[in-house]
Amino acid sequence: MKRQRICVVGAGPRFFSGISVYTCRLTNALAQREQISAILMRQLLPTRLYPGRARVGAQLTQLRYDPAVPVYDGVDWYWLPSMLRAISFLLRERPEVVIFQWWTGTVFHSYLLLAAVARLLGAEVVIEFHEVLDTGEARLNLARLYVGLVAPLLTRLAQGFVVHSQFDRAALEDSYKLGDRPVALIPHGPYDHYQSSNPELAQRAAPAECCNLLYFGVIRPYKGVEDLLTAFDAIAPEEINKYWLTIVGETWEGWNLPAELIAASRYHARITFVNRYVRDDEVMSFFAGADAVVLPYHRSSASGPLHIAMSCGLPVVVTQVGGLTEAVASYEGAIMIPPQAPAALGVALNQLLTKLHHRFPDPHSWERTVARFEALFMALSGDQTALGEVLV
């Protein structure tokens, strides 16, 4: 079968985030079967406006793009001269399909121009949704208005869409007019590059005999870290020796309530708090040192930390929100609880003790992800029967 020319447009490493990881992993996975190139967003916005401004440009990851993949890194928010170079890159690579990773309104003006150029070159445009609108941007009237004006222009240029769950499909349809254009359900691939079988790499302050609960990820209002701290503080004194809590994440949006609860907790001495964005090698160490992962989100379309936990085979407590319910549907190590329910979370922490020292198989694979993308590519080429089960 002829290899198709595919270009993935997404987040680069300068403003490093979970989307940076996903863009790299998807690109490398597709490169095993197709002829892939990548255009990365380098300067998402003026650095002073970014919540994690102190770490912009820091070397936080060991991930690298496949040497066979041409990469342009990348496009700056203010365009000149980077956008001219990106357009030149597209002209040189001549992709048949361009996949845009959608996660923030700051890239919409760049995506709009690149999508228009791609269409002029005869390429099919696909938009992969990670969120319809970032929660932080949704709180800002100007940002919400801007996305409302620009996003429909971009979606009109697309021939197809990708979502990770039925929940995302419903949110997408509520926001945009998709018509009869295909929407493919393609599950998030695993983050198995964070796996470690070396016990010497494990990082934990917790005694070996207790359950080290790990919350990992940025600390924002919708992440629900305060619910976890409330549940942890409610553990009976005669039971607390069974648990240790490790919280690793960078505070965004001025959400300092979790830090205040940690300082005030009666079990403060049994809480490890790493309040920063950590490097890849540290991510591996914290998950290697965890006995279970707790993700008490109030809402979420998808979760990188959840996929790290499943790739490591760890028991996980996760709330029944957004696309997370579907993400763990076939994962035997998951305990599902309602959101914003510290009492239910406390019960789940007790249930975790029955799952300790078990490792569970991850139901996700990049091979399945790539196969579903290829079915979408075939459908865009005119073979509608190729979509099969990937159509939502």
Side-chain angles (χ1 to χ4, degrees), residues 5-47:
R5 298 188 306 277
I6 313 294
C7 182
V8 179
V9 182
R14 178 169 167 76
F15 284 66
F16 189 69
S17 68
I19 302 299
S20 307
V21 176
Y22 184 87
T23 300
C24 184
R25 290 302 310 268
L26 174 65
T27 300
N28 287 346
L30 288 169
Q32 303 306 305
R33 300 275 293 271
E34 308 292 351
Q35 187 175 329
I36 304 298
S37 59
I39 295 176
L40 307 181
M41 300 295 106
R42 180 175 59 196
Q43 183 76 26
L44 294 182
L45 72 169
T47 302

Side-chain angles (χ1 to χ4, degrees), residues 12-17 20-21 24 52-65 73 194 276-283:
R14 178 169 167 76
F15 284 66
F16 189 69
S17 68
S20 307
V21 176
C24 184
R53 66 184 67 85
R55 60 175 172 82
V56 170
Q59 184 63 44
L60 295 170
T61 182
Q62 299 169 1
L63 276 176
R64 296 292 182 269
Y65 283 82
D73 183 16
Y194 290 117
R276 59 183 174 83
Y277 204 102
V278 298
R279 303 184 312 273
D280 269 4
D281 59 324
E282 295 176 288
V283 176

Side-chain angles (χ1 to χ4, degrees), residues 7-324:
C7 182
V8 179
V9 182
R14 178 169 167 76
F15 284 66
F16 189 69
S17 68
I19 302 299
S20 307
V21 176
Y22 184 87
T23 300
C24 184
R25 290 302 310 268
L26 174 65
T27 300
N28 287 346
L30 288 169
Q32 303 306 305
R33 300 275 293 271
E34 308 292 351
Q35 187 175 329
I36 304 298
S37 59
I39 295 176
L40 307 181
M41 300 295 106
R42 180 175 59 196
Q43 183 76 26
L44 294 182
L45 72 169
T47 302
R48 68 182 182 279
L49 301 178
Y50 187 64
R53 66 184 67 85
R55 60 175 172 82
V56 170
Q59 184 63 44
L60 295 170
T61 182
Q62 299 169 1
L63 276 176
R64 296 292 182 269
Y65 283 82
D66 187 308
V69 175
V71 177
Y72 175 64
D73 183 16
V75 176
D76 296 327
W77 177 78
Y78 43 81
W79 280 10
L80 294 176
S82 63
M83 181 56 78
L84 298 176
R85 293 170 179 162
I87 292 172
S88 176
F89 183 88
L90 275 179
L91 290 169
R92 184 169 65 253
E93 295 298 324
R94 292 278 174 168
E96 297 164 86
V97 180
V98 181
I99 306 169
F100 289 87
Q101 303 298 312
W102 172 309
W103 84 105
T104 173
T106 62
V107 301
F108 279 168
H109 65 303
S110 299
Y111 276 17
L112 189 61
L113 180 55
L114 289 172
V117 172
R119 290 293 302 272
L120 288 172
L121 293 175
E124 307 281 1
V125 169
V126 172
I127 303 175
E128 181 172 5
F129 280 84
H130 297 275
E131 288 218 66
V132 172
L133 179 62
D134 178 80
T135 57
E137 294 174 351
R139 296 168 53 197
L140 304 174
N141 291 334
L142 187 60
R144 192 169 60 249
L145 176 63
Y146 169 71
V147 171
L149 290 172
V150 178
L153 300 176
L154 179 61
T155 57
R156 280 201 287 271
L157 289 172
Q159 285 76 50
F161 305 91
V162 173
V163 294
H164 298 309
S165 66
Q166 294 280 7
F167 170 84
D168 290 337
R169 166 62 184 261
L172 186 58
E173 285 194 327
D174 285 345
S175 301
Y176 305 107
K177 296 177 181 178
L178 306 182
D180 59 356
R181 290 172 291 177
V183 180
L185 174 56
I186 303 181
H188 194 297
Y191 280 173
D192 47 7
H193 58 288
Y194 290 117
Q195 287 177 335
S196 173
S197 58
N198 183 356
E200 294 182 2
L201 290 179
Q203 183 166 327
R204 60 184 282 161
E209 67 275 9
C210 72
C211 176
N212 184 24
L213 306 166
L214 174 66
Y215 168 84
F216 185 90
V218 290
I219 298 171
R220 305 177 68 178
Y222 77 90
K223 295 283 190 172
V225 182
E226 62 277 9
D227 298 337
L228 173 55
L229 288 161
T230 299
F232 189 75
D233 221 40
I235 296 173
E238 62 271 19
E239 297 291 321
I240 194 61
N241 285 341
K242 298 177 182 178
Y243 299 96
W244 191 280
L245 178 58
T246 301
I247 295 176
V248 181
E250 178 181 59
T251 298
W252 278 32
E253 300 169 68
W255 190 242
N256 293 314
L257 178 59
E260 293 167 2
L261 291 175
I262 290 170
S265 173
R266 60 175 173 166
Y267 300 133
H268 174 79
R270 300 188 71 82
I271 301 175
T272 299
F273 186 29
V274 181
N275 192 201
R276 59 183 174 83
Y277 204 102
V278 298
R279 303 184 312 273
D280 269 4
D281 59 324
E282 295 176 288
V283 176
M284 186 181 298
S285 295
F286 281 117
F287 276 86
D291 295 305
V293 173
V294 185
L295 302 171
Y297 301 158
H298 294 172
R299 59 165 300 281
S300 185
S301 290
S303 167
L306 173 60
H307 283 278
I308 300 174
M310 288 191 290
S311 290
C312 293
L314 291 166
V316 58
V317 175
V318 63
T319 44
Q320 295 165 313
V321 295
L324 304 189

